[in-house]
Amino acid sequence: GLTLGLALAATLACAALRTEEKAMVERKPGPRKVVVGSLMYNMFHPYPGLEKRLDELGEWIDRMAQVAEQKYPGQGLDIAALPEVAVNGGLQGSAARVSFPLEGPVLEAMAAKAREHSCYVVVPLYMTEDAEKGIYTNAAVLLDRQGRVAGIYRKVYPVVIPGTGQLEGGVMPGKDFPVFDCDFGRVGIQICFDMAYG
């Protein structure tokens, strides 16, 4: 299945600052609910192009933020978690063919949504790490509330595609299971098959 596991521990006892409607408000210290938006989305139809896909994902983040504000007025969305390879889902071919660099349109579009909703965003994609060296990964990039890269998790156990002997079109496996400090606690990310081993 295409699942993205998020492990959240929301027990920081320090005040956190968050932009809300262009005004800075101080969060109360101590444990609180962390509002997580997640998405199951069938992306395996003809690929609409990168710009259109980023627009689609941005609209889903808008919807998550809208629902969060309805259910938790004044608190809003803390983190939006998109599904595995959300940026590339539906593309066919080798990792070299379907991967995108983080820098450029992907980071610009997703960082803008993080800033717009003052939330963390998990952006999963087949990512071009170094095209000249042929290094591509199945990654989940965590953006902070200002749209800055807070960390990158790379799938440690990519799946062998039957009949090819390749790991998901030729991606390089990650090496570790990092955790990332957020203003509400620590976040760990696992992608699909990694949940069986992490």
Side-chain angles (χ1 to χ4, degrees):
L2 294 176
T3 60
L4 175 70
L6 281 175
L8 299 174
T11 55
L12 277 187
C14 62
L17 294 178
R18 177 174 184 257
T19 303
E20 188 167 57
E21 294 178 7
K22 300 186 180 179
M24 295 301 287
V25 293
E26 188 170 333
R27 290 191 185 252
K28 295 177 182 176
R32 66 172 179 83
K33 285 184 184 277
V34 174
V35 181
V36 179
S38 63
L39 171 65
M40 292 184 69
Y41 177 45
N42 181 2
M43 297 166 292
F44 297 94
H45 51 266
Y47 192 73
L50 179 59
E51 184 178 352
K52 175 68 173 155
R53 173 54 55 81
L54 294 172
D55 287 345
E56 290 173 353
L57 297 175
E59 289 170 7
W60 283 111
I61 295 170
D62 292 342
R63 290 176 67 181
M64 290 178 197
Q66 180 182 30
V67 171
E69 185 58 35
Q70 290 169 353
K71 290 189 173 190
Y72 304 99
Q75 179 171 324
L77 184 63
D78 285 301
I79 186 166
L82 299 171
E84 181 178 7
V85 298
V87 172
N88 324 68
L91 283 173
Q92 302 293 318
S94 68
R97 182 178 176 277
V98 305
S99 296
F100 295 109
L102 176 61
E103 298 292 331
V106 173
L107 184 57
E108 290 166 13
M110 295 294 96
K113 286 299 170 183
R115 289 189 297 271
E116 178 182 348
H117 297 296
S118 188
C119 68
Y120 290 82
V121 178
V122 180
V123 185
L125 74 160
Y126 282 131
M127 186 168 70
T128 302
E129 303 262 2
D130 188 328
E132 287 185 11
K133 294 181 180 177
I135 300 174
Y136 308 93
T137 57
N138 183 344
V141 179
L142 177 66
L143 304 181
D144 69 14
R145 296 184 195 272
Q146 289 76 45
R148 299 174 301 219
V149 176
I152 300 175
Y153 166 72
R154 295 163 177 90
K155 187 175 182 179
V156 175
Y157 294 100
V159 178
V160 176
I161 303 302
T164 69
Q166 284 192 324
L167 300 175
E168 297 180 21
V171 300
M172 291 284 290
K175 297 179 180 176
D176 56 6
F177 295 93
V179 293
F180 309 106
D181 289 317
C182 299
D183 59 16
F184 53 78
R186 293 184 129 183
V187 172
I189 304 170
Q190 290 185 310
I191 299 174
C192 194
F193 209 46
D194 282 1
M195 293 170 60
Y197 294 94

